[in-house]
Amino acid sequence: MQLEQVAQLPVLSLETILNDHFMQASQITSKVKVLQHFEKYLETGYYPFYREEGDGFFDRLQQVIETIVSGEIPSVSNIEYDSVYKAKQLLAVLAESSPYTLNISGLCVTLQASRNNVLKLIDLMDKAALVRRLYAADRGMNMLTKPEKVLFYNTNLMRCLTPHVDDVTMRETYFASQLAVAHQLSMPNQGDLIVDGRWLFEVGGRNKGFKQIKGIEDSFVVSDGIDIGHGKKIPLWLFGLLY
């Protein structure tokens, strides 16, 4: 994508996307082949050093992760070296199973750590923008409250830490990363995410239907692999214009 094309892309509010996505997507895709650039963004487009070629990007990102885990987190939290090692273990576990529906007992056994210490590590990595906690809509949020799910903060981190990223994980991680900038996210009883306690979203591929959220007011399907949506089915890439 040329820089002049990027500069011309609009910043859209969530309400505009929900109410006017067909027109917005039609205007953009008539000028830009969005999907091919979107795939590149998911892999290497989140950080300002995205222009580095070949393996340079992931080497740089791996250094960033190491600095955060081994340097920045201990400097603000007074955790011991053993906890730094456990934080690295935790990232490895999440990389192999994200989106990780939390099994605290299993994590405690794997990391040989107490429940509170595991939750503290997740809290620190959330604050350090490595992971993102999602809580049930009817529960409060604090360091010792168990989140329902843990996602990576963005899709580039996933690509850096594991070569095997499934499409479901990629879509949920990207969608959450875009909405969380200006909106409150939580886990609903049905669907994938509820935003600001009002809008319900089910995220999937191009053929994703409304079965799981049928009949629910203010619900939408967000689909990967499509240029333009229709009705309450919205292309996933369009949410990248929220900021």
Side-chain angles (χ1 to χ4, degrees), residues 4 26 68 89 91 144-145 162 171 177 195 197 221 242-243:
E4 58 269 23
S26 298
I68 292 172
Q89 280 186 296
L91 282 177
L144 298 181
T145 301
T162 178
R171 293 164 187 150
S177 72
V195 177
V221 164
L242 283 169
Y243 67 97

Side-chain angles (χ1 to χ4, degrees), residues 180-225:
V181 172
H183 299 275
Q184 182 68 48
L185 310 183
S186 55
M187 294 285 295
N189 293 324
Q190 292 176 257
D192 289 321
L193 278 175
I194 189 163
V195 177
D196 295 338
R198 174 183 175 184
W199 295 292
L200 178 67
F201 295 93
E202 177 74 16
V203 184
R206 62 183 302 114
N207 297 318
K208 187 68 178 179
F210 290 81
K211 181 178 179 180
Q212 281 121 321
I213 55 174
K214 184 178 180 180
I216 300 177
E217 188 176 359
D218 287 330
S219 63
F220 302 84
V221 164
V222 179
S223 290
D224 191 14

